[in-house]
Amino acid sequence: MTNSRSTSPPSTDTEVDDIHVTVDLTTETIPFVDMDAVHEPYRDQIREAVDAVLGRGDFILGPGVDRFETEFAAYVGVSHAIGVDSGFSALELLLRAHGVGRGDEVVTVANTFYATAMAIRATGATPVLVDSDPSTHLLNPEAVAGAMSGRTRAIIPVHLYGRRAPMTEISRLAARYDVAVIEDACQAHGAGDRPRRAGALGNGGAFSFYPSKNLGALGDGGMVTVDDEVLARRVRMLRNLGSAERYRHEEPGFNRRLDTIHAVALSVKLAHLDRDNDQRRSIARTYNELLAGLPVATPEVTDDHVFHLYVIETDRRDDLAEHLRSEGIASGIHYPTPIHLQPAFTDLGWRQGQFPRAERSAGRILSLPMYPRMRQRDTERVAHAVRRFFS
Ligand SMILES: *Cc1c(COP(=O)(O)O)cnc(C)c1O
């Protein structure tokens, strides 16, 4: 594992320049995420690792998955990690392992990715939403206190954009009501300090290895992290048709295993995750410096934030996004419609205006390009394009 803490900008500029055909600077587009640049330092190692799986033919579970689970558990700071097929499955199986199901309520935040709420529904439980804190975009502990009921079984804080949620307050509340805290760490691989990082701060963590996440597979993948032997065994069975031992099925389960080719690729990438996260923070610092003084809110840079996304806020979001597009710069909105206004949840009776902070943020947020090995000059070009818009 690398513990290089580079504070300088990405140092691979020249290598990347050799690979990308450099065209006229003013017309070259800047993508939202450049997966080619992300994989550039370890493409060969990934090929070798995948090739070894092809040679062995152990495509399902086996030593490649065991090894990555052990490495990931040590990295996060828990005793058990269980590889699954997506972040969605990680959330669902973790909730089920905690006994959450029909008739139960699970409290989470209105401005998260849809999978958080969908995973709660998949267990048969009902998602109960709270409004976000507009300054951090994270769930607000006071609002969570107001949402607790006799049916609440769990709280899911989301470390949105890579920033750690207020775990101390949430854990205190959960202890008072005797409910589980399930961290949605799908955007927060590596957030916080050793020995316990995001995913080790509650009663279970759920990670996604969707390719563009801070730690991404070659397709879908996910991980459950827990510090409890009994929960770990349950998640292991649930992901594998309710079976811990071949041809013996102890309970109804699912097929939600992490594929071995993903596990071996993820092992390669995990060794570089701290360095990649340092680069993300370095890019965020550059953006913050270059955007200072503009009428935009910029995020604070701390070790608790791994910048899965770099999100600014402005009253003129749509015009700014259009201006960036006209200069060949991609941007994104995460997310344009809060959970409570999604058609998939109309049966839950949520209304427009019910979570005003999440709704207001949804109209103001804009994510700028952010990925490891983004070139310094591209970061500068994005920031200067934002400055030009406001001048
Ligand atoms: C990506 C993500 C998920 C779901 O992960 P998948 O692997 O796509 O199923 C859940 N929650 C959040 C906050 C995410 O960003």
Side-chain angles (χ1 to χ4, degrees):
M1 194 150 309
T2 174
N3 42 33
S4 77
R5 289 233 163 227
S6 71
T7 47
S8 55
S11 57
T12 48
D13 284 14
T14 41
E15 289 163 52
V16 175
D17 281 353
D18 291 343
I19 290 161
H20 294 255
V21 180
T22 306
V23 294
D24 178 3
L25 248 187
T26 53
T27 57
E28 189 182 1
T29 59
I30 299 181
F32 188 62
V33 177
D34 182 345
M35 292 306 291
D36 205 33
V38 169
H39 286 120
E40 193 272 327
Y42 28 73
R43 185 175 288 108
D44 289 343
Q45 267 178 286
I46 290 175
R47 280 213 186 92
E48 277 169 33
V50 170
D51 203 45
V53 175
L54 273 172
R56 290 195 303 268
D58 58 349
F59 300 106
I60 306 295
L61 300 180
V65 174
D66 292 347
R67 183 177 144 208
F68 177 58
E69 288 178 344
T70 304
E71 291 167 350
F72 196 77
Y75 178 83
V76 168
V78 292
S79 49
H80 302 274
I82 304 101
V84 293
D85 62 354
S86 67
F88 172 90
S89 289
L91 286 163
E92 186 197 343
L93 300 191
L94 192 46
L95 287 167
R96 285 181 181 276
H98 274 280
V100 174
R102 199 165 299 283
D104 296 332
E105 292 178 356
V106 177
V107 178
T108 193
V109 65
N111 65 329
T112 178
F113 183 59
Y114 313 104
T116 317
M118 297 265 182
I120 296 168
R121 289 219 95 177
T123 68
T126 304
V128 172
L129 300 181
V130 299
D131 213 347
S132 54
D133 176 338
S135 64
T136 61
H137 303 293
L138 301 171
L139 90 176
N140 174 350
E142 279 169 35
V144 175
M148 303 301 286
S149 83
R151 290 208 291 247
T152 310
R153 292 293 301 274
I155 303 168
I156 305 187
V158 181
H159 306 305
L160 197 69
Y161 308 149
R163 179 171 181 163
R164 193 172 51 82
M167 293 303 292
T168 313
E169 294 91 325
I170 298 292
S171 299
R172 204 176 297 139
L173 202 60
R176 176 150 24 108
Y177 287 88
D178 192 26
V179 302
V181 178
I182 308 284
E183 298 175 73
D184 183 336
C186 289
Q187 301 188 359
H189 319 68
D193 287 320
R194 283 198 179 92
R196 298 182 78 82
R197 311 199 212 215
L201 306 172
N203 308 107
F207 290 85
S208 165
F209 302 128
Y210 184 86
S212 60
K213 302 283 164 114
N214 292 40
L215 182 61
L218 310 178
D220 279 309
M223 188 73 89
V224 170
T225 52
V226 283
D227 240 340
D228 179 305
E229 174 92 49
V230 176
L231 283 173
R233 182 179 144 81
R234 254 208 100 201
V235 174
R236 264 183 214 292
M237 285 203 295
L238 287 170
R239 78 165 173 188
N240 196 26
L241 299 170
S243 171
E245 185 190 320
R246 197 160 210 180
Y247 303 131
R248 181 181 153 78
H249 299 265
E250 294 181 32
E251 64 173 323
F254 307 89
N255 180 347
R256 306 279 187 84
R257 299 173 297 241
L258 175 66
D259 289 323
T260 308
I261 55 162
H262 295 311
V264 299
L266 287 162
S267 277
V268 170
K269 292 176 76 174
L270 178 62
H272 305 276
L273 179 56
D274 283 344
R275 190 198 55 188
D276 283 2
N277 284 341
D278 281 342
Q279 288 194 1
R280 288 174 184 271
R281 276 188 287 262
S282 165
I283 292 163
R285 261 184 231 109
T286 303
Y287 272 143
N288 281 2
E289 278 160 28
L290 297 176
L291 299 180
L294 297 181
V296 299
T298 54
E300 208 186 327
V301 182
T302 68
D303 280 352
D304 282 338
H305 200 329
V306 289
F307 287 93
H308 172 58
L309 296 167
Y310 178 87
V311 179
I312 61 171
E313 252 189 284
T314 158
D315 293 335
R316 299 173 63 197
R317 189 268 311 279
D318 292 339
D319 291 341
L320 173 58
E322 183 48 45
H323 169 78
L324 292 177
R325 198 168 343 179
S326 75
E327 295 208 11
I329 297 166
S331 62
I333 301 172
H334 301 89
Y335 297 91
T337 308
I339 300 293
H340 64 291
L341 303 178
Q342 288 294 335
F345 302 109
T346 39
D347 62 312
L348 292 175
W350 289 318
R351 317 173 303 281
Q352 179 98 36
Q354 197 170 350
F355 303 106
R357 294 182 173 126
E359 288 174 32
R360 180 163 190 272
S361 293
R364 294 165 46 85
I365 48 178
L366 189 69
S367 311
L368 300 183
M370 161 66 73
Y371 47 90
R373 286 161 292 288
M374 183 177 184
R375 292 174 299 189
Q376 170 84 6
R377 69 163 195 242
D378 286 347
T379 308
E380 287 170 4
R381 208 183 112 201
V382 174
H384 290 143
V386 175
R387 289 206 80 89
R388 260 195 302 287
F389 172 77
F390 284 105
S391 65

